[in-house]
Amino acid sequence: MYAGSGQCNSPFPMATLSPSVIVRRRICLRGIVQGVGFRPFVFNLANRIGIRGFILNSSSGVTIEAEGQHSALDEFMRSLHHPPPLAHIEEVTSTDLDPMGNEGFEIRESLPANGDREFALVSPDVATCDDCLRDVSDPDNRRFAYPFTNCTNCGPRYTIIRNIPYDRPMTTMAGFRMCANCQAEYNDPTNRRFHAQPNACPVCGPTVVLAKSGTVFPANDAYESGQYAISVFQDVRRLLHEGAIVAVKGLGGSQLVCDASNEAAVRELRLRKKRSDKPFALMARDIGEVEKLCTLSDADRELLLSPQRPIVILNRREDATIPPDLAPGNNTLGVMLAYTPLHFLLFADRSAAPPEFTALVMTSGNISDEPIVISNEEAWRRLAPVADWFLFHNRDIYMRVDDSVARTFEGRPRALRRSRAYAPQPIDLGSDCGELLACGAELKNTFCLTKGRYAILSQHIGDLENYETLEFYKETLANLKKLFRVEPQAVAHDLHPLYMSSRFAAELRLPKIGVQHHHAHVASCMAENRIRDRVIGIAFDGTGYGTDSQIWGGEFLVAGFGNFERRAHFRYVPLPGGDAAVRQTWRPALSWLRASFGSELPIDLPIFQKVPPREIDFVSLMISRNINTILTSSCGRLFDAVASIIGLRHQVTFEGQAAIELEMACQPGIDDGYPFDIDSNEPAQVDMRAAIRAIVRDVQNSQPAGVIASRFHNTIATVIAEMCQRIRASEKLNRVCLSGGTFQNMYLLQRSVARLRKLGFEVFLHYAVPPNDGGISLGQAAIANEILKSGALSCA
């Protein structure tokens, strides 16, 4: 893909020269041009056209010196704009040189970094290509059943790179010396493994070993031969059939695997991993197996089969025969296709039909809330309480990277967790930035570095709530600073003083820029869509620290990068017990009921039957006396409250669980909603008490939960449309950015977007960056950069 424009520094226009004149040119290319087959592509192109010279990797990208007839060099330059599929050219510059009379064209040794400040864009990891899968599946191929087969078009990149330029000595493959056959492929310009840095085979490359938990940790000599991989994978498949839980060292970390059709194994994995209800990700061998479980759109198929191979959220088929424990209370499944040869071999060789498993559970190899495990020793120690067996390999993982999660909306993929195969590909901001660090949020954390015109988002870090995750954060930050040659001159952070990311920023000896959470949400959507002017920003989520020290989460903003105005929000209600009110949804439900009914509570609701009266009385006392209670405008807590009021869920075991189940309950064909009020204050308050009273009446009248859920969602969509019209009338703004975790709700998103467009609004959404807190760091970076440009903060 070409995304830049060439620049010629020659004093004489090339068009004035005769086509047969010999000219020489130095061409510098920036973008993702290392580790994606770009040098072999240029080598073969030069030989085909008759260009002499050389190409090499540098710390800034790729440098070419090309010499030949003027007409041939023109053709060469044009052809550079159609590179291999994994390459992404951002910038091309060229300078005329004196001809040197080279003979032939060569790939030269890479230039060392030498401490310079230049940087090359690093390729994410890429799913195994069809050619390599054919090699793995062919009994006559020397790579038959070899789990580390790759070429210039696929395989590990970011997870194995120690430094740039991207050459084998700079990766975790440095310790594997290529055999004669692999070296011949590496040196052959006609071979797709020409200069493939992780190139290997069973003779010279990484190998696997299978070990039983609780026995002796495998010694180094257990990895000496790669010839027995076939029998190892036969053993693994047998163990999975028997109900075993196997810890598999994958591409970016360990994964815990069991047979998805084995109800006892799934239940046991939940018990051991301490993961009560959160859905498990599934892996299938091919699209045909996915279609046995889920309904697919064309966009879903395209996303599943993309080189990124993310976990895709899909609608589950009603006739799918799978254990309910895979995704309790959810009518969707998160499914990905196998993306490495190792994963394909878990399903038997590719020629087997049908495969031995429809799907495997493929969940992160960690104990809940900790980072994914990457080393064999750490996995052996930390995952022993969970795994019955371990499938190890001896290719080190340098950067831990979890699987990405996405789903499609209106035919386009939307990132929900941006990690493997997407990170660390930068976001092009369209204009130059200073060098900044944006520390991100507390939950679903990512951080963001900026340099030049690029925002470099980290992979998904997770919830910054423990020491292990903070260490993962620090190691990733150190690595990305090194790879992209970034030395931040300022640091942006969330306003919440107790967030671990904010405390980390406070310890840095850099100028600090505090950024309000929901302003960052809107700015993230603006930055992704390259919007510079003010917008109507709607940020709905569970928690964000407000400028008034209360907990925001249902916000209507007028925002640019430099500042924002809070034009409206959901009416404040007390949130009793802090984090306890997030886990126990009956607490915000009780708060909304007290706000809506006063002391005359409707005690015939499910909440009063399920929650012990003593706890109800205690929390009521907290609310009335303002004990350990903070005010909130959170849309997420409003969803929690409604889920509890109608009897769906009074307590959650993972973030967003009640809201997800409320969305899952929605029935099609319901178009009406509930009443609400908007006052005339500045900022205006959206008062949902009338809606709560109407919801209670529906519960008392035995309306189905699905009808109530649909009406509630419709009401929120109507609130969005009404407030946008009011703001447009006063501000003459027509662009609306929707951001925040609430807009992962597809029912709400579809209806909100449709209503806004019908009213003539231009609606902008997240696609490349998550709408949840995983996108916060991009917004923080965009805001901080604007503040620095304005001179409001000096970094001198």
Side-chain angles (χ1 to χ4, degrees):
M1 179 178 180
Y2 179 64
S5 58
Q7 172 183 325
C8 179
N9 299 324
S10 169
F12 304 106
M14 294 292 290
T16 65
L17 300 177
S18 168
S20 60
V21 170
I22 300 299
V23 293
R24 186 180 185 88
R25 200 174 259 191
R26 177 180 292 122
I27 307 160
C28 298
L29 299 102
R30 301 184 67 125
I32 297 179
V33 290
Q34 296 187 15
V36 290
F38 191 76
R39 286 179 299 172
F41 159 76
V42 172
F43 178 93
N44 289 314
L45 175 65
N47 282 301
R48 177 172 59 81
I49 295 176
I51 296 296
R52 302 179 296 280
F54 64 85
I55 182 172
L56 54 80
N57 280 344
S58 69
S59 57
S60 62
V62 161
T63 299
I64 303 168
E65 289 199 10
E67 183 173 316
Q69 291 185 351
H70 171 218
S71 58
L73 194 57
D74 269 359
E75 182 183 352
F76 179 77
M77 290 288 290
R78 286 193 299 270
S79 298
L80 289 178
H81 299 169
H82 304 282
L86 300 180
H88 185 92
I89 299 174
E90 297 280 354
E91 181 182 346
V92 181
T93 59
S94 62
T95 306
D96 284 358
L97 304 172
D98 292 331
M100 298 179 63
N102 290 96
E103 292 186 5
F105 194 92
E106 63 179 331
I107 296 178
R108 290 189 176 177
E109 289 289 322
S110 300
L111 291 176
N114 291 329
D116 62 38
R117 303 285 293 144
E118 295 294 326
F119 69 100
L121 302 187
V122 176
S123 170
D125 304 286
V126 184
T128 304
C129 69
D130 288 342
D131 288 331
C132 283
L133 285 180
R134 279 189 284 270
D135 292 345
V136 174
S137 304
D138 181 0
D140 296 326
N141 192 290
R142 70 190 189 90
R143 289 188 173 86
F144 176 58
Y146 183 56
F148 306 99
T149 300
N150 66 85
C151 70
T152 55
N153 298 319
C154 68
R157 300 291 191 275
Y158 176 53
T159 52
I160 64 170
I161 296 175
R162 298 182 187 275
N163 208 340
I164 55 170
Y166 175 62
D167 288 311
R168 196 177 182 102
M170 295 291 197
T171 73
T172 62
M173 287 295 293
F176 297 95
R177 184 182 180 87
M178 282 183 280
C179 66
N181 286 334
C182 285
Q183 189 68 53
E185 293 171 330
Y186 185 89
N187 295 334
D188 180 2
T190 66
N191 194 291
R192 75 175 195 278
R193 295 190 171 94
F194 183 45
H195 278 250
Q197 302 306 325
N199 189 29
C201 74
V203 173
C204 64
T207 57
V208 294
V209 66
L210 182 63
K212 183 176 175 60
S213 182
T215 59
V216 178
F217 181 72
N220 289 337
D221 58 9
Y223 298 92
E224 285 183 356
S225 172
Q227 302 292 346
Y228 67 103
I230 297 173
S231 64
V232 169
F233 283 95
Q234 287 172 342
D235 289 341
V236 173
R237 293 194 294 270
R238 173 181 55 79
L239 291 167
L240 291 171
H241 269 300
E242 293 172 356
I245 297 168
V246 182
V248 175
K249 185 178 181 181
L251 181 65
S254 295
Q255 295 165 306
L256 292 165
V257 183
C258 73
D259 179 1
S261 65
N262 188 321
E263 192 164 354
V266 172
R267 193 181 307 117
E268 185 64 22
L269 178 55
R270 282 206 178 278
L271 182 65
R272 295 184 192 178
K273 200 170 187 274
K274 301 175 183 177
R275 183 167 173 162
S276 303
D277 300 307
K278 194 173 183 180
F280 280 138
L282 304 182
M283 177 178 281
R285 189 185 68 172
D286 55 44
I287 283 286
E289 298 304 312
V290 179
E291 288 180 323
K292 295 177 182 177
L293 303 174
C294 302
T295 57
L296 304 181
S297 67
D298 290 342
D300 293 333
R301 288 186 184 86
E302 184 176 348
L303 183 56
L304 283 164
L305 290 166
S306 69
Q308 290 78 27
R309 295 288 203 280
I311 298 169
V312 182
I313 307 301
L314 302 166
N315 291 322
R316 182 169 56 188
R317 291 174 61 102
E318 292 183 3
D319 59 351
T321 54
I322 54 172
D325 276 350
L326 287 172
N330 207 316
N331 58 22
T332 64
L333 292 173
V335 187
M336 60 184 150
L337 294 180
Y339 55 84
T340 71
L342 185 149
H343 291 122
F344 276 95
L345 292 169
L346 295 176
F347 292 93
D349 72 85
R350 201 179 184 213
S351 61
E356 296 194 29
F357 306 98
T358 295
L360 294 170
V361 170
M362 193 70 58
T363 190
S364 302
N366 60 358
I367 304 299
S368 290
D369 300 326
E370 293 182 2
I372 190 171
V373 171
I374 57 173
S375 76
N376 295 340
E377 293 82 0
E378 185 184 14
W380 186 256
R381 183 178 71 255
R382 299 185 73 82
L383 300 182
V386 184
D388 300 308
W389 290 82
F390 291 83
L391 180 62
F392 290 132
H393 63 72
N394 58 346
R395 183 182 70 199
D396 287 343
I397 299 169
Y398 189 66
M399 278 314 307
R400 67 186 87 215
V401 179
D402 222 325
D403 291 314
S404 295
V405 182
R407 76 182 306 171
T408 61
F409 178 71
E410 296 183 333
R412 294 179 62 185
R414 296 188 81 213
L416 302 180
R417 184 169 77 190
R418 189 177 185 272
S419 204
R420 174 187 54 77
Y422 294 94
Q425 185 164 345
I427 305 294
D428 188 341
L429 297 176
S431 61
D432 282 345
C433 297
E435 297 190 15
L436 297 166
L437 165 64
C439 291
E442 182 87 342
L443 303 179
K444 298 180 174 64
N445 177 270
T446 64
F447 62 81
C448 180
L449 295 165
T450 60
K451 182 168 183 171
R453 58 190 291 149
Y454 299 115
I456 304 139
L457 269 72
S458 73
Q459 67 269 34
H460 170 76
I461 301 295
D463 296 346
L464 275 180
E465 296 180 331
N466 55 55
Y467 170 81
E468 291 81 6
T469 308
L470 180 61
E471 288 302 300
F472 173 31
Y473 181 101
K474 290 178 178 178
E475 73 184 28
T476 306
L477 175 59
N479 187 51
L480 287 178
K481 284 171 61 179
K482 175 179 64 178
L483 288 179
F484 289 92
R485 310 294 193 253
V486 179
E487 281 302 328
Q489 302 303 300
V491 58
H493 61 87
D494 194 275
L495 293 182
H496 200 304
L498 298 182
Y499 277 5
M500 197 173 285
S501 56
S502 300
R503 297 203 301 267
F504 175 78
E507 294 172 0
L508 300 178
R509 295 183 178 179
L510 292 171
K512 296 167 183 62
I513 302 170
V515 178
Q516 200 282 320
H517 188 92
H518 301 95
H519 185 199
H521 265 308
V522 175
S524 177
C525 188
M526 291 174 63
E528 178 182 341
N529 289 284
R530 294 195 189 179
I531 300 173
R532 301 295 307 173
D533 299 326
R534 293 190 312 160
V535 300
I536 301 170
I538 302 175
F540 285 0
D541 63 3
T543 298
Y545 195 76
T547 55
D548 58 359
S549 300
Q550 306 299 339
I551 300 300
W552 294 8
E555 309 307 312
F556 299 85
L557 311 179
V558 170
F561 289 132
N563 55 58
F564 77 95
E565 299 172 37
R566 191 189 194 196
R567 287 304 179 86
H569 59 86
F570 283 113
R571 182 183 188 275
Y572 279 133
V573 295
L575 189 67
D579 288 346
V582 177
R583 296 188 302 271
Q584 297 176 328
T585 58
W586 63 266
R587 288 179 181 240
L590 182 61
S591 188
W592 271 105
L593 289 171
R594 287 176 59 87
S596 303
F597 289 92
S599 59
E600 300 296 323
L601 295 177
I603 59 173
D604 54 342
L605 295 179
I607 179 177
F608 297 105
Q609 317 306 318
K610 298 293 184 180
V611 181
R614 185 176 177 180
E615 293 187 35
I616 294 283
D617 292 342
F618 178 72
V619 172
S620 294
L621 185 65
M622 290 175 64
I623 295 171
S624 62
R625 296 187 180 181
N626 197 28
I627 300 171
N628 192 24
T629 296
I630 192 168
L631 295 177
T632 185
S633 60
S634 168
C635 187
R637 300 292 80 80
L638 175 59
F639 271 74
D640 288 349
V642 173
S644 178
I645 288 169
I646 69 176
L648 284 180
R649 178 160 291 276
H650 306 295
Q651 187 157 325
V652 300
T653 61
F654 65 91
E655 187 203 9
Q657 184 178 12
I660 290 170
E661 293 185 7
L662 189 63
E663 179 191 359
M664 296 300 108
C666 289
Q667 290 183 199
I670 307 297
D671 296 321
D672 58 330
Y674 294 117
F676 60 88
D677 297 302
I678 302 175
D679 66 23
S680 57
N681 293 329
E682 279 290 337
Q685 292 201 47
V686 179
D687 190 344
M688 297 295 291
R689 289 180 295 178
I692 295 296
R693 289 190 287 268
I695 288 169
V696 168
R697 284 194 297 273
D698 273 356
V699 173
Q700 292 170 329
N701 291 331
S702 301
Q703 279 283 6
V707 172
I708 301 173
S710 297
R711 287 174 175 169
F712 171 71
H713 281 78
N714 296 341
T715 304
I716 301 299
T718 302
V719 167
I720 290 170
E722 174 65 23
M723 277 310 314
C724 286
Q725 289 183 93
R726 292 191 180 201
I727 296 171
R728 179 169 62 183
S730 62
E731 296 293 332
K732 306 299 185 284
L733 296 174
N734 205 53
R735 288 178 165 181
V736 178
C737 287
L738 303 180
S739 189
T742 300
F743 289 109
Q744 295 174 136
N745 182 316
M746 298 296 282
Y747 188 103
L748 177 64
L749 184 66
Q750 289 165 351
R751 280 149 186 79
S752 299
V753 169
R755 293 184 189 207
L756 289 170
R757 286 177 180 159
K758 187 175 181 179
L759 292 168
F761 287 98
E762 192 176 2
V763 183
F764 294 89
L765 308 175
H766 292 273
Y767 289 98
V769 175
N772 57 47
D773 283 5
I776 282 281
S777 62
L778 176 61
Q780 290 175 341
I783 292 166
N785 181 66
E786 188 73 13
I787 291 171
L788 288 180
K789 282 183 176 180
S790 71
L793 180 74
S794 172
C795 291

